[in-house]
Amino acid sequence: MDSSESSYLVNNDKPSSSYKRYNSDGTAADAVELAIDEFDEGGKNRNDTPDRNTLTFRDGERIIDYVLAYSESSEADQNAKRDSFHKALKEEGLQLEIEDKKYSQDLETFFCKVHMPWKMCLEYAELFKIKMPIQKNDVDAPMTAQCCTPFAMCRPNVEEEEDYFTSPFYKDGTFIDYQGPDVPQPNFFTPAQRSRMVHEVLLRTRYGDEQQQFGIKRLVSQGVYTSFFPLHSGSYKSEKLGVDRIENKRQELFYEWARPGAFMKEQPYDAIREYFGEKVAIYFSWLGFYTLMLVPASIVGLIVFIYGLATMSTDPTSNEICGKDGDLIMCPQCDELCTYWRLNTSCLYSRVTYTVDNPATIFFTIFMALWATFFMEFWKRQQARIQYDWDVADYEEAEQSMRPEFQANAQNKKKNPITHDYEPYMTMWERGLRIMSSLMFIFFLLLVVLAAILAIIIYRIFVVVLIYNSPDQLIKSQASLITTVTAACLSVIVITLLNKVYEKIAVFLTDREMWKYQTEWEDSFTVKMYLFQFANYYGTIFYIAFIKGRMQGSPLHYTKLAGRRLEECDPSGCLTELAIQLAIVMVGKQALNNFKEIVIPILVKLFKSRKGRKKIETDDDKYTSWERDYDLVDFPVHGLYEEYLEMVIQYGFVTLFVAAFPLAPFFALLNNIIEVRLDATKMITQWKRPMADRAQDIGTWFVILQAISKMAVLINAGIIAFTSDFIQKSMYEYTDVKQDTGQSYIEWSLSTFRTSDFDNESMPIPAFENATFGDTIYANHVCRYRDFRNNPNSSTWDDSDPSTQYVLTKTYWHVLTARLAFILVFEHLVLGIAELINFLVPDVPIDVRDRTLREKFLAKVSLHERIKHQKESDRADVVGTTF
């Protein structure tokens, strides 16, 4: 519990506008009362013009908790709704003060300032079960907490908050043992807490008698209001210099957290939580933890990549391709237009492949599987610590309130077994039908995504043909690389376009499901979006990893799609192509997102501020704090969903396909170092201040991360077994194949085809006998292709028996068996170790468990003291009445 929360408790014997403080010895300190007058719009004590930097009403006392912005409408209905809403807010107990449009820079916008009075704050604090400090933490910290981490960063120059045991707030009770600092009444509750309480009122207040006529969100969607937001604590830049330049919390966070120069400092999580609320703070805490965990993964990945570069010249396979076996003639890679080619054309490709397909790759894949396990386990422990420190461990069970949309639309009521109150509910049958309809629609949309992926595959097939038809020999030799790069760029464009459409559909479907709580709504929306994004981002990658080059058939009967042959892998495999696809999609996506996050908010802010200024600012015409915030970009409707999605997609690249791209953790680390400060800069300088929402954890993203971590083991095993040549190379090296056949690895792994057996559609032009390679014309009418099939010169070949021609050999089945066996052993071994780690590492640190038990004990003692105090008070009242 941080010390910024109130040190004061209400004495029920005093008026509601007073408060009483208790010293550490339990004696009452002097009570301080603050009378607050009730002001209406245009009430007394108003100054002629608003102060530029004020965060209060014109009386200089009442804090602005929220701001509603609107313009005059020519439609009487909109004005009537707004007037009705204002009246209802006053009836709820809120106080309003309206700034006329003549004080705004655009001369069009009215600003309604909202303040929650003291008595109402107390009621909502008890309703929200806001926890208040009752005693300093007296449980010793573990020895590990005093040790430096290997990747420790500079600490920000932010005052550290003391740790307290806490208990739920009661407006009619007292905390006898409080030992915290003195805080004046206006700061009894933090601005974040006040904004959350006011936001709840704004969401639920009705403005009409119809069922759907409630809440500020609906009024904004109808154009009655243009925006609603809590104020930032002032300008983020200070006009002063030196160590004393910090004037408010926003400036403190900007200079110690958001600005680029602070990238080597730890994030001030408690200060972020105090300013933006727990939900935002938990995101940055998770992002910081994930980024820190990427450091060892990046180091090992770089070592593996450097090892591949250093030992590239010793790779037997690429040496064979670039050397003695390089003169082998390969079969054409497309019908008619493609001609025969020498194997040594792919010399460079085979060298590059070795950098990601070498013995160290197996070690790195196992390392990353265990890294993912440690990451999840350590985050669970870190999350448990956060939940305790920020008092959100039981938020989802005890504190969150029902969604107003659910309350308004649910047709049935049911007795709550906990509170015994009748509340809206939805039958399992109705909920099941809604979810089933959503699933059917999602399935259809996934088919649309697969259709888009299929279109990209067809694009690849046709582009290869066009490139091979080019008269430029250099371009023809790089056909596979050009196709991969252009298809990957096209994938990024398609992904971006489909994202926008699917998001709107996912919101509509989730709203139809009518979830009771906001966390349930967010979890359902997140799952829908991630399923789509999974197919959208990873579909083409799965095609290259597990389909390309495995369904093309043989030169005798090629498999075709849209009348064209399917793509083939290079003789050195598809792993390099997979790495290129991963690099372009992953790095390109990150670069595009960072560009959008930097440029778009700046342009929007500049446009709104320029558009709004229709008059020159003078001393009597101030550009006020609420109008400055109004010109900022709206906080995203779905909160930090986009930021979470970006990181979880990245986590998939880092874990699911790391066997093909060992540099993925390194690029992710570089991006995240920028991303942390970029997101912080957006929050501080570009976005309106969000309502300080609470959260218990990262939500369903944790379940998704767990699923990705387990899937990664199987997918990487499949990449090693099927996409790389590790298994068949191992069989060649460590079995009797080399001695029995006397062939080099390349000769053993390639099959032979008689060119006279081509059908008319596949016969290359020009014919083989006219094909030239340099100054040499080859008369041996055979070519090689990548497969294990029966050859014309094999002892089992029979020209009169088609069943013996170009059929899969025993070697193919032996290699396939070895691949499947590898997947089985690898998966069981790694997942077994992961489960052992999961069993040995407790989810909750011992010191957190002890502190939680200690806090519950003190809360129980505090409750008994409160009951005792109440009984003594009642007894005194009875005695006084008797006399």
Side-chain angles (χ1 to χ4, degrees):
M1 179 73 197
D2 60 80
S3 60
S4 64
E5 294 190 358
S6 170
S7 61
Y8 300 97
L9 305 158
V10 177
N11 183 344
N12 202 40
D13 297 331
K14 295 287 183 180
S16 60
S17 60
S18 66
Y19 54 88
K20 192 166 185 177
R21 175 170 54 85
Y22 288 88
N23 297 322
S24 59
D25 60 358
T27 61
D30 294 334
V32 181
E33 297 186 12
L34 175 64
I36 298 180
D37 296 328
E38 297 292 331
F39 291 96
D40 293 324
E41 302 94 323
K44 59 181 180 179
N45 291 350
R46 287 178 59 112
N47 299 317
D48 291 336
T49 58
D51 179 36
R52 174 175 181 171
N53 296 314
T54 185
L55 301 177
T56 65
F57 279 23
R58 294 202 181 198
D59 57 22
E61 296 176 346
R62 290 175 295 173
I63 298 171
I64 300 174
D65 296 318
Y66 242 93
V67 175
L68 314 181
Y70 62 92
S71 301
E72 278 185 321
S73 175
S74 58
E75 300 180 14
D77 180 58
Q78 287 198 346
N79 294 327
K81 288 179 180 178
R82 184 166 48 249
D83 292 341
S84 177
F85 190 65
H86 286 177
K87 181 179 179 181
L89 291 178
K90 290 181 181 179
E91 291 174 353
E92 288 287 338
L94 295 178
Q95 298 173 4
L96 311 181
E97 184 177 74
I98 296 177
E99 293 292 342
D100 194 88
K101 65 181 181 180
K102 68 181 181 181
Y103 296 115
S104 66
Q105 293 297 315
D106 62 2
L107 301 176
E108 296 177 356
T109 307
F110 292 84
F111 293 95
C112 176
K113 298 176 287 187
V114 182
H115 170 77
M116 179 174 281
W118 174 245
K119 181 179 179 180
M120 194 172 179
C121 282
L122 300 179
E123 293 171 352
Y124 272 84
E126 184 171 16
L127 178 65
F128 282 10
K129 300 180 181 177
I130 292 177
K131 291 190 175 182
M132 293 296 177
I134 53 176
Q135 181 179 312
K136 282 187 177 181
N137 184 2
D138 55 4
V139 176
D140 295 333
M143 293 295 296
T144 54
Q146 304 172 12
C147 300
C148 296
T149 64
F151 311 109
M153 303 172 70
C154 301
R155 296 196 62 80
N157 187 25
V158 176
E159 183 179 355
E160 293 189 13
E161 297 171 346
E162 295 185 74
D163 191 12
Y164 290 87
F165 293 123
T166 60
S167 180
F169 175 81
Y170 295 98
K171 64 180 181 180
D172 60 345
T174 57
F175 297 131
I176 303 300
D177 296 326
Y178 178 75
Q179 301 176 17
D182 293 342
V183 182
Q185 190 191 53
N187 299 327
F188 186 94
F189 302 106
T190 65
Q193 292 170 336
R194 295 180 65 95
S195 72
R196 185 157 54 90
M197 292 187 284
V198 173
H199 187 266
E200 184 73 12
V201 179
L202 295 175
L203 288 182
R204 298 179 179 278
T205 300
R206 304 193 67 86
Y207 56 88
D209 297 329
E210 296 181 12
Q211 185 180 20
Q212 302 295 332
Q213 290 186 323
F214 69 92
I216 185 68
K217 288 185 178 179
R218 194 171 298 277
L219 290 173
V220 170
S221 67
Q222 294 173 355
V224 177
Y225 293 96
T226 55
S227 185
F228 67 108
F229 52 91
L231 289 178
H232 279 289
S233 61
S235 174
Y236 67 88
K237 284 188 176 180
S238 175
E239 298 177 358
K240 299 179 181 179
L241 298 175
V243 294
D244 297 328
R245 62 181 174 178
I246 305 298
E247 298 173 327
N248 56 59
K249 280 289 183 180
R250 190 183 185 192
Q251 291 179 8
E252 182 180 66
L253 287 173
F254 175 74
Y255 288 110
E256 298 298 326
W257 176 50
R259 67 185 180 92
F263 80 98
M264 284 301 294
K265 293 185 177 182
E266 289 183 5
Q267 298 187 77
Y269 297 120
D270 287 334
I272 298 170
R273 175 241 182 171
E274 181 185 345
Y275 194 80
F276 290 111
E278 286 80 5
K279 180 173 283 189
V280 171
I282 285 176
Y283 163 73
F284 280 103
S285 179
W286 175 82
L287 179 57
F289 183 84
Y290 169 48
T291 302
L292 191 64
M293 287 291 290
L294 281 172
V295 173
S298 301
I299 294 173
V300 177
L302 280 172
I303 292 173
V304 169
F305 182 74
I306 293 171
Y307 168 82
L309 290 175
T311 59
M312 182 191 300
S313 59
T314 65
D315 176 40
T317 302
S318 57
N319 287 338
E320 290 175 5
I321 293 176
C322 300
K324 61 179 182 178
D325 292 328
D327 289 334
L328 291 175
I329 306 304
M330 304 300 294
C331 295
Q333 293 187 311
C334 67
D335 292 338
E336 297 182 352
L337 297 177
C338 299
T339 187
Y340 304 96
W341 55 288
R342 281 183 177 178
L343 178 60
N344 57 20
T345 305
S346 65
C347 174
L348 177 61
Y349 203 90
S350 66
R351 296 287 192 194
V352 175
T353 299
Y354 178 76
T355 61
V356 293
D357 186 11
N358 56 68
T361 302
I362 307 299
F363 159 76
F364 186 57
T365 305
I366 297 174
F367 171 84
M368 286 303 297
L370 298 180
W371 172 89
T373 301
F374 278 110
F375 168 67
M376 298 305 297
E377 290 303 313
F378 288 163
W379 170 247
K380 281 194 288 187
R381 291 171 60 83
Q382 179 69 10
Q383 186 169 263
R385 192 177 298 280
I386 289 172
Q387 289 174 347
Y388 168 76
D389 288 341
W390 294 348
D391 298 319
V392 292
D394 56 353
Y395 168 71
E396 293 185 5
E397 292 183 1
E399 295 184 38
Q400 65 174 332
S401 55
M402 198 179 303
R403 294 178 68 235
E405 295 85 353
F406 179 81
Q407 282 184 300
N409 296 311
Q411 301 297 322
N412 304 303
K413 289 189 178 292
K414 183 179 180 180
K415 187 176 182 181
N416 187 314
I418 308 300
T419 64
H420 286 191
D421 294 330
Y422 282 90
E423 59 183 32
Y425 91 107
M426 181 177 290
T427 62
M428 293 182 61
W429 173 253
E430 186 179 359
R431 173 64 53 77
L433 288 177
R434 290 172 181 266
I435 294 176
M436 285 298 298
S437 62
S438 294
L439 290 176
M440 293 174 63
F441 205 88
I442 291 169
F443 179 73
F444 169 75
L445 292 174
L446 290 177
L447 292 179
V448 173
V449 176
L450 294 178
I453 295 170
L454 182 62
I456 294 175
I457 293 172
I458 295 174
Y459 163 85
R460 296 170 64 100
I461 294 171
F462 277 88
V463 167
V464 166
V465 175
L466 293 175
I467 294 175
Y468 276 120
N469 196 31
S470 171
D472 193 318
Q473 192 62 36
L474 177 61
I475 294 178
K476 292 172 66 174
S477 65
Q478 302 300 323
S480 179
L481 178 62
I482 295 172
T483 302
T484 300
V485 172
T486 56
C489 294
L490 182 62
S491 295
V492 173
I493 296 173
V494 171
I495 287 168
T496 303
L497 293 177
L498 289 178
N499 282 351
K500 299 298 182 184
V501 177
Y502 191 81
E503 181 177 342
K504 296 183 181 299
I505 297 173
V507 170
F508 170 75
L509 293 176
T510 309
D511 284 340
R512 283 191 72 255
E513 292 168 1
M514 284 180 57
W515 295 101
K516 184 176 182 180
Y517 298 112
Q518 183 64 25
T519 53
E520 295 176 336
W521 190 98
E522 291 172 355
D523 290 346
S524 179
F525 173 76
T526 299
V527 170
K528 291 184 186 68
M529 286 300 297
Y530 186 75
L531 286 175
F532 170 79
Q533 301 288 4
F534 187 92
N536 209 7
Y537 279 103
Y538 304 140
T540 306
I541 297 173
F542 273 105
Y543 162 73
I544 297 173
F546 300 112
I547 298 177
K548 182 180 177 182
R550 286 164 187 80
M551 300 175 63
Q552 77 274 18
S554 70
L556 186 64
H557 297 292
Y558 282 118
T559 304
K560 297 188 178 183
L561 178 66
R564 297 290 181 178
R565 278 170 50 183
L566 295 180
E567 295 179 278
E568 297 181 21
C569 290
D570 188 86
S572 58
C574 281
L575 206 60
T576 297
E577 188 174 344
L578 179 60
I580 293 171
Q581 179 80 15
L582 282 165
I584 291 177
V585 175
M586 177 183 175
V587 178
K589 169 185 168 296
Q590 292 177 167
L592 181 62
N593 284 340
N594 289 340
F595 175 80
K596 290 193 304 181
E597 291 175 359
I598 294 173
V599 175
I600 293 180
I602 293 176
L603 292 179
V604 171
K605 179 183 176 183
L606 182 64
F607 174 76
K608 291 181 69 176
S609 61
R610 295 295 181 189
K611 180 182 177 182
R613 296 198 178 195
K614 292 186 177 179
K615 59 181 181 180
I616 300 175
E617 184 178 299
T618 66
D619 289 339
D620 294 330
D621 257 336
K622 301 296 185 180
Y623 192 45
T624 55
S625 56
W626 46 85
E627 192 161 10
R628 286 200 304 268
D629 285 7
Y630 175 69
D631 287 341
L632 297 177
V633 180
D634 290 329
F635 190 74
V637 176
H638 305 303
L640 294 171
Y641 157 78
E642 290 285 350
E643 279 63 32
Y644 270 118
L645 177 65
E646 181 182 351
M647 290 297 102
V648 173
I649 292 292
Q650 182 201 88
Y651 182 80
F653 285 124
V654 168
T655 55
L656 292 175
F657 309 101
V658 74
F661 192 37
L663 290 178
F666 176 72
F667 283 116
L669 176 63
L670 292 181
N671 174 80
N672 289 6
I673 292 174
I674 299 172
E675 184 73 23
V676 170
R677 306 303 163 177
L678 196 58
D679 287 346
T681 301
K682 288 188 303 184
M683 298 290 298
I684 293 294
T685 68
Q686 304 299 326
W687 284 353
K688 291 182 175 70
R689 186 176 183 176
M691 185 274 295
D693 207 354
R694 286 169 67 80
Q696 183 172 325
D697 47 38
I698 62 174
T700 197
W701 292 114
F702 183 80
V703 179
I704 292 173
L705 289 171
Q706 282 186 315
I708 292 174
S709 299
K710 294 187 183 302
M711 287 173 55
V713 177
L714 189 61
I715 291 173
N716 281 297
I719 290 174
I720 294 172
F722 287 96
T723 311
S724 78
D725 289 340
F726 171 76
I727 299 299
Q728 58 193 51
K729 285 181 180 179
S730 299
M731 288 187 64
Y732 177 81
E733 288 291 335
Y734 302 113
T735 62
D736 297 332
V737 172
K738 186 187 297 186
Q739 291 77 14
D740 293 344
T741 62
Q743 297 175 316
S744 66
Y745 169 75
I746 289 297
E747 290 179 312
W748 174 71
S749 63
L750 297 177
S751 296
T752 304
F753 184 77
R754 288 189 309 207
T755 59
S756 59
D757 292 335
F758 274 122
D759 57 28
N760 292 333
E761 292 183 357
S762 300
M763 181 69 71
I765 303 174
F768 185 89
E769 54 269 18
N770 298 323
T772 60
F773 302 88
D775 297 327
T776 306
I777 298 178
Y778 288 85
N780 186 14
H781 295 182
V782 295
C783 62
R784 303 297 185 96
Y785 62 99
R786 181 182 169 90
D787 210 342
F788 292 103
R789 291 183 179 270
N790 204 12
N791 299 322
N793 58 354
S794 171
S795 59
T796 58
W797 179 278
D798 186 351
D799 287 328
S800 61
D801 185 3
S803 63
T804 65
Q805 300 172 11
Y806 305 114
V807 295
L808 297 171
T809 63
K810 290 182 179 179
T811 303
Y812 170 85
W813 299 109
H814 291 164
V815 172
L816 178 61
T817 302
R819 285 170 169 167
L820 296 175
F822 172 82
I823 292 175
L824 187 66
V825 173
F826 184 91
E827 180 261 342
H828 277 67
L829 175 64
V830 174
L831 288 182
I833 296 175
E835 288 301 318
L836 180 62
I837 295 171
N838 187 21
F839 173 76
L840 294 177
V841 179
D843 293 345
V844 180
I846 295 176
D847 66 303
V848 173
R849 183 198 63 190
D850 293 343
R851 293 180 185 186
T852 303
L853 294 175
R854 172 71 172 159
E855 182 172 274
K856 290 180 178 179
F857 170 77
L858 291 175
K860 187 183 297 184
V861 171
S862 176
L863 179 62
H864 289 164
E865 292 289 345
R866 186 168 66 89
I867 294 173
K868 180 181 177 181
H869 177 78
Q870 185 64 43
K871 287 181 178 179
E872 292 176 352
S873 177
D874 293 343
R875 190 179 300 114
D877 291 341
V878 170
V879 172
T881 303
T882 303
F883 285 99

